[in-house]
Amino acid sequence: RCLGPINSKENMNMSTQKHPIRPLRVALLVPSSNTVMENDLHRALPKDQFTVHTGRMFLTETTREQEIRMIEDFAPQAASDLGTLEPDVLVFGCTSAGSLFGVEYDAQVCQKLGALAHCEAIGVISTVAQALAEAHFKRVAIITPYNEDLTQSVAKAVEKEVTVVGAWGMGITHNVALADPTPEEIVAFAKSKLSGVVFDGLFVSCTNFRSFEAKALLEQTFGVPVVTSNSSVVQALLKRVASPT
């Protein structure tokens, strides 16, 4: 298991104290108005291998300005609080916030939050980039629930790993409402935007979007593999159990 932030001797010493054998303890950090991600992880991760414990960062509006405020003003205390449960890994569960200044910014945010929680931390935009790279897509289309600014932010963040043929968002800015579109409505929106677009992979962004539920129907509809924010996190966490370090 990964039990400490990279290059942090102090936190590594704290985390490698003897523990009874137990499932991997995941500290999940989500925007306060996110109603989807923790449910997806609870459903997808084997309960004999993982326990998921959620902390919240205040956020009501899905905009660049409010997400920066969430990271700077509310994430540190939430990460520190989660550290009291002695987690094995912290997940920074906001795709668009992590993308604001590229995947390098996501890594920096995660390093700081991991230090506060005394464990390694991973960010969603980074797990997405890894999943897209491992899938060896040549042309990726992107669907989001966001406004245009955040939709393009996410697209730019993953462009180092794949060629993005286009990114389309629903324009929702009230964060709790990101969870309102049903899986069927997500598929219908994707069909309306992707008609005539040539792509071999589809990324559907946002941890508060019901795209994980829509994944199978999206793959059936378009005949290509689909990566979602939450599926990329599940994939990354399962790998940690399969190949502990």
Side-chain angles (χ1 to χ4, degrees):
R1 280 178 192 166
C2 299
L3 293 176
I6 298 172
N7 297 326
S8 176
K9 292 182 179 180
E10 178 183 354
N11 288 323
M12 183 66 73
N13 288 338
M14 292 180 64
S15 298
T16 53
Q17 294 175 3
K18 291 184 178 179
H19 287 290
I21 296 174
R22 56 166 172 74
L24 190 84
R25 195 173 288 164
V26 179
L28 175 62
L29 196 55
V30 295
S32 58
S33 44
N34 186 310
T35 63
V36 174
M37 188 176 192
E38 61 191 309
N39 292 318
D40 281 353
L41 296 195
H42 281 301
R43 281 191 294 261
L45 295 172
K47 290 180 173 53
D48 63 333
Q49 294 179 296
F50 298 90
T51 59
V52 179
H53 313 274
T54 306
R56 294 184 176 271
M57 311 168 285
F58 182 81
L59 182 75
T60 58
E61 296 302 311
T62 318
T63 63
R64 177 179 294 269
E65 295 75 20
Q66 291 305 307
E67 288 187 344
I68 291 173
R69 182 179 178 227
M70 176 188 74
I71 291 171
E72 294 181 351
D73 293 350
F74 302 110
Q77 185 61 56
S80 181
D81 290 346
L82 283 171
T84 64
L85 60 89
E86 299 182 4
D88 298 313
V89 61
L90 180 142
V91 176
F92 175 59
C94 187
T95 321
S96 55
S99 79
L100 292 175
F101 304 101
V103 291
E104 296 83 2
Y105 172 72
D106 186 56
Q108 292 171 7
V109 169
C110 287
Q111 186 174 19
K112 292 177 182 178
L113 297 177
L116 290 168
H118 307 296
C119 67
E120 186 180 359
I122 59 174
V124 181
I125 195 65
S126 296
T127 62
V128 165
Q130 181 179 4
L132 294 175
E134 290 176 354
H136 302 294
F137 294 136
K138 291 182 172 36
R139 296 170 58 85
V140 172
I142 298 176
I143 294 294
T144 87
Y146 314 133
N147 64 17
E148 182 66 10
D149 177 36
L150 294 183
T151 296
Q152 295 307 317
S153 175
V154 166
K156 289 177 183 177
V158 300
E159 278 180 336
K160 287 186 178 180
E161 301 296 340
V162 294
T163 297
V164 176
V165 298
W168 296 267
M170 287 184 168
I172 302 171
T173 57
H174 188 45
N175 199 68
V176 74
L178 299 175
D180 287 349
T182 66
E184 293 75 17
E185 288 171 336
I186 293 171
V187 173
F189 177 77
K191 287 174 67 175
S192 73
K193 297 301 180 183
L194 298 177
S195 177
V197 179
V198 178
F199 58 98
D200 63 351
L202 177 61
F203 166 46
V204 188
S205 185
C206 187
T207 62
N208 197 31
F209 201 36
R210 294 176 62 189
S211 52
F212 196 30
E213 295 175 67
K215 187 175 184 293
L217 184 55
L218 286 164
E219 291 177 333
Q220 179 183 342
T221 299
F222 295 105
V224 301
V226 174
V227 172
T228 77
S229 291
N230 293 348
S231 75
S232 76
V233 172
V234 169
Q235 180 179 326
L237 290 173
L238 289 173
K239 284 182 178 179
R240 285 169 183 270
V241 169
S243 302
T245 58

